[in-house]
Amino acid sequence: MTRTAPPAAVPGRVGSAPPVVPAPASDASARGAGADLLALDRAAQDLLFRAARTANTFTAEPVTDAQVAAIHDLVRHGPTALNGQPLRVLLIRSPQARQRLLPHVSAGNRAKTAGAPLVAVLAADVDFHRRLPELFPHRPEAKDWLADPAGRAAQARFNATLQIGYLLVGIRAAGLAAGPMAGFDAAGVGREFFPDGRHEVLLLVNIGRPGPDAWQERLPRLTAEEVIRTL
């Protein structure tokens, strides 16, 4: 598959853009139909969506703490119910931590997880309501609305999943590639890294710059006509 060269780094942006993958000529939406109707310029649209891909291989270039902090500073502004922000991120950097994680990862995901420069374990804090007096100060009683553990855990999962979406786009905004994975033993990872029982593991994400043969051909996407209805 022919790829164009990566765009040059944009001043002020963390990192440089990932390689641009040409969109199929038959898919007008992939080519950016209606791009001029969006506030983001076309290069930013491509960086975040059209050219961005789920990476399966990575280079050895490290992902720094400063990059991760910049990503979080951007995506923390995404909305959540009651401003609860239940997502918690555990970064797996050291070889020792990687060896603790790998036995819980499915065979098909193990090699790329071992080779990624950074792995993030994404979990929902099921006791996120403890922070609501600070995060939702105009309604201090909101903490009491979530007294039921089962309902609170469902809220934590739902809103942490929203935040995961913001995080994946933020990783792309840093010029990095993300490889989200559900193929792992979530309960096992939870016992290994969150023994307090307060965190429900939702997803693993490999993060870095895409390496050789990082992805397969892009799969079809549904069109607006197939997805959107108006009443």
Side-chain angles (χ1 to χ4, degrees):
M1 177 177 176
T2 302
R3 300 186 180 95
T4 60
V10 177
R13 181 175 292 155
V14 182
S16 58
V20 173
V21 180
S26 60
D27 187 350
S29 64
R31 296 197 307 273
D36 57 336
L37 301 178
L38 303 175
L40 285 176
D41 64 41
R42 191 178 296 266
Q45 296 169 31
D46 289 343
L47 177 71
L48 297 180
F49 295 101
R50 297 190 194 94
R53 302 292 301 275
T54 296
N56 293 303
T57 69
F58 298 88
T59 70
E61 183 177 344
V63 178
T64 68
D65 288 339
Q67 286 174 300
V68 175
I71 291 166
H72 177 261
D73 192 57
L74 175 66
V75 304
R76 68 192 179 110
H77 298 289
T80 55
L82 304 176
N83 198 35
Q85 304 168 59
L87 180 65
R88 302 293 180 263
V89 180
L90 176 66
L91 300 179
I92 304 296
R93 286 196 182 279
S94 70
Q96 296 83 359
R98 195 76 59 112
Q99 290 306 310
R100 291 171 58 193
L101 175 65
L102 289 176
H104 303 288
V105 178
S106 67
N109 289 330
R110 202 166 293 149
K112 57 187 173 184
T113 303
L118 183 63
V119 184
V121 180
L122 306 184
D125 181 355
V126 298
D127 287 339
F128 73 96
H129 68 310
R130 297 179 181 181
R131 302 291 300 273
L132 287 182
E134 170 192 352
L135 299 175
F136 207 62
H138 57 291
R139 297 297 296 272
E141 72 275 16
K143 177 181 177 182
D144 301 326
W145 300 344
L146 296 166
D148 172 54
R152 186 171 68 246
Q155 282 279 355
R157 285 191 297 270
F158 177 79
N159 286 284
T161 301
L162 282 178
Q163 290 183 278
I164 288 171
Y166 309 144
L167 179 63
L168 295 178
V169 174
I171 291 168
R172 294 172 170 185
L176 300 170
M181 300 175 294
F184 67 99
D185 177 5
V189 173
R191 288 190 298 270
E192 184 70 37
F193 294 101
F194 300 102
D196 59 10
R198 282 183 49 193
H199 298 81
E200 184 173 334
V201 177
L202 301 176
L203 197 70
L204 302 181
V205 181
N206 294 327
I207 305 171
R209 298 203 181 277
D213 298 317
W215 39 66
Q216 300 174 347
E217 295 284 349
R218 187 185 290 282
L219 296 173
R221 296 306 198 263
L222 297 177
T223 65
E225 291 77 12
E226 294 172 297
V227 172
I228 300 169
R229 297 173 57 213
T230 301
L231 298 179

